[in-house]
Amino acid sequence: MALQALQSSGVAFRKILSHFPEDLSLAFAYGSGVYRQTGPSSNQKNAMLDFVFTVDDPVTWHSKNLKKNWNHYSFLKFLGPKVITTIQNNYGAGVYYNSLVMCVGRLIKYGVISTSILIEDLLNWNNLYIAGRLHKPVKIIAMNENVALRSALDKNLKSAVTAAFLMLPESFSEEDLFIEIAGLSYSGDFRMVVGENKTKVLNIVKPNIAHFRELYGNILQENPQVVYKIQQGRLEIDKSPEGQFTQLMTLPKALQQRINHIMDPPGKNRDVEETFLQLAHDPDCGEVVRLGLSAIVRPSSLRQSTKGIFTAGMKKSLIYSSLKLHKMWKGWLWKTS
């Protein structure tokens, strides 16, 4: 599995993990606190560490975590683990974040997501939220033997490659591909307008080409639609209508549905194959795919951010938002200096 190559045996991560209940099907760390990024925050020491914990039984996990880490939660802790799980599963992008938590001397943020909801997002891109995080290099800290989850993690990476191919020309560099992949889950994200450094995707990819190559190398070498010139760091793909039709038909279900909605006029009710056959011949095929991604990401990111006000609490939300705006401002100054 491509993700296994990025597993971390870092003691620091495991120390942090030991402060939480076990029973995790997957735990990973991600973001600028884990992988170096270029830009104004590149030399930032002790940056906040971001984690995602995937659990089979969220009610039991939150119940245990409330006993161990009561102060991590906002006022919602008084409603109990069942209500917290309902909010986690049914609102936003299916993930419950506790932010600005001190643990082993480090500031952390951690999200909790149900294993079944994560698998659905990895396969279908219903929200492209945690699935989007997993398009980029992450540090796997714990992973059990859940075959369905492991298969879904691989499928998510292959889907990212397919979607990126549809938005790229016939010939391009590794860096072009990885920038496109890293940007999939930011398409239409309102936080890229307010709260995030506008060059975020470039800052993620440029210092981490080797990690992206480790993550996607085998998938690219095994893909029959691509010529991968590893030594030159260049790729050539099949941009024929037949090639694009094949790619469109293998996209995740939620993205296919959004694309079909964009292409199919009201009342015409064509099936997906007919719509995609037309789109495969369209020179604007890539732009339609991008619009489809935006139609998933925009509402998902907005709902999740709104939910964060309640899960973090008003005070932490204001602090977290101010940190993000400060980061965006530093990015603007860095870019114009």
Side-chain angles (χ1 to χ4, degrees):
M1 173 188 278
L3 279 168
Q4 283 183 312
L6 295 175
Q7 285 192 5
S8 169
S9 58
V11 174
F13 294 127
R14 296 189 182 280
K15 274 187 178 178
I16 289 171
L17 203 60
S18 71
H19 286 257
F20 295 91
E22 296 178 353
D23 312 317
L24 300 172
S25 57
L26 173 68
F28 65 88
Y30 66 94
S32 58
V34 181
Y35 286 97
R36 188 177 70 84
Q37 296 182 13
T38 53
S41 303
S42 57
N43 296 318
Q44 190 178 9
K45 288 186 178 180
N46 295 323
M48 184 164 67
L49 294 172
D50 298 303
F51 295 89
V52 168
F53 302 149
T54 305
V55 300
D56 293 340
D57 183 352
V59 174
T60 300
W61 195 90
H62 282 296
S63 180
K64 291 178 180 177
N65 199 42
L66 283 163
K67 289 174 183 173
K68 291 188 77 164
N69 300 304
W70 174 261
N71 62 324
H72 290 186
Y73 291 80
S74 70
F75 67 93
L76 294 174
K77 61 192 169 194
F78 296 106
L79 302 178
K82 287 185 180 178
V83 173
I84 287 172
T85 298
T86 298
I87 292 167
Q88 173 183 308
N89 290 344
N90 298 338
Y91 299 94
V95 58
Y96 188 103
Y97 271 102
N98 283 327
S99 302
L100 301 175
V101 170
M102 285 302 297
C103 187
V104 198
R106 291 296 300 268
L107 193 64
I108 72 166
K109 176 181 79 176
Y110 64 94
V112 184
I113 187 169
S114 159
T115 306
S116 59
I117 288 175
L118 176 59
I119 289 172
E120 280 291 308
D121 197 30
L122 292 168
L123 294 176
N124 299 322
W125 288 8
N126 298 331
N127 296 299
L128 199 51
Y129 199 81
I130 301 302
R133 298 285 184 278
L134 286 159
H135 288 162
K136 297 170 273 289
V138 301
K139 291 282 188 184
I140 303 290
I141 310 163
M143 182 157 53
N144 68 12
E145 295 301 316
N146 187 321
V147 176
L149 176 58
R150 287 171 176 260
S151 174
L153 288 164
D154 280 346
K155 178 67 165 62
N156 182 50
L157 297 178
K158 289 173 181 173
S159 295
V161 169
T162 301
F165 280 175
L166 285 160
M167 295 184 288
L168 286 163
E170 190 172 359
S171 177
F172 49 88
S173 68
E174 278 182 321
E175 185 175 294
D176 293 333
L177 172 64
F178 299 148
I179 287 170
E180 203 66 67
I181 287 173
L184 292 174
S185 60
Y186 294 119
S187 299
D189 189 336
F190 84 99
R191 293 170 302 170
M192 297 302 285
V193 179
V194 178
E196 289 287 7
N197 182 358
K198 303 300 185 295
T199 57
K200 184 178 180 74
V201 174
L202 279 173
N203 294 345
I204 290 169
V205 173
K206 281 189 172 293
N208 293 300
I209 293 288
H211 294 302
F212 275 92
R213 192 180 292 132
E214 219 173 341
L215 196 55
Y216 290 100
N218 288 342
I219 291 170
L220 294 171
Q221 289 179 63
E222 292 167 8
N223 191 315
Q225 289 191 303
V226 63
V227 177
Y228 184 20
K229 301 173 182 177
I230 300 172
Q231 298 302 320
Q232 296 97 317
R234 304 255 343 146
L235 302 96
E236 293 174 7
I237 54 172
D238 180 3
K239 295 298 284 186
S240 68
E242 294 79 13
Q244 295 204 131
F245 177 73
T246 300
Q247 290 162 4
L248 287 164
M249 290 301 294
T250 58
L251 288 174
K253 189 190 297 182
L255 181 53
Q256 287 186 338
Q257 289 169 345
R258 299 308 191 285
I259 292 169
N260 193 47
H261 181 74
I262 292 164
M263 288 293 294
D264 195 26
K268 201 161 185 183
N269 295 323
R270 295 182 299 178
D271 63 33
V272 171
E273 283 194 32
E274 189 181 348
T275 303
F276 284 2
L277 198 56
Q278 178 195 336
L279 181 58
H281 287 80
D282 192 326
D284 292 326
C285 176
E287 288 309 306
V288 174
V289 172
R290 202 177 300 279
L291 287 172
L293 287 163
S294 296
I296 294 171
V297 173
R298 188 179 295 110
S300 169
S301 63
L302 185 56
R303 289 194 306 266
Q304 184 63 35
S305 294
T306 304
K307 172 178 166 180
I309 296 170
F310 297 96
T311 60
M314 187 58 72
K315 183 181 176 182
K316 281 188 177 181
S317 293
L318 289 171
I319 294 169
Y320 187 71
S321 298
S322 67
L323 289 171
K324 282 288 186 182
L325 288 168
H326 178 64
K327 201 171 179 181
M328 182 179 76
W329 176 249
K330 279 175 68 180
W332 182 81
L333 290 176
W334 185 78
K335 191 177 178 183
T336 55
S337 62

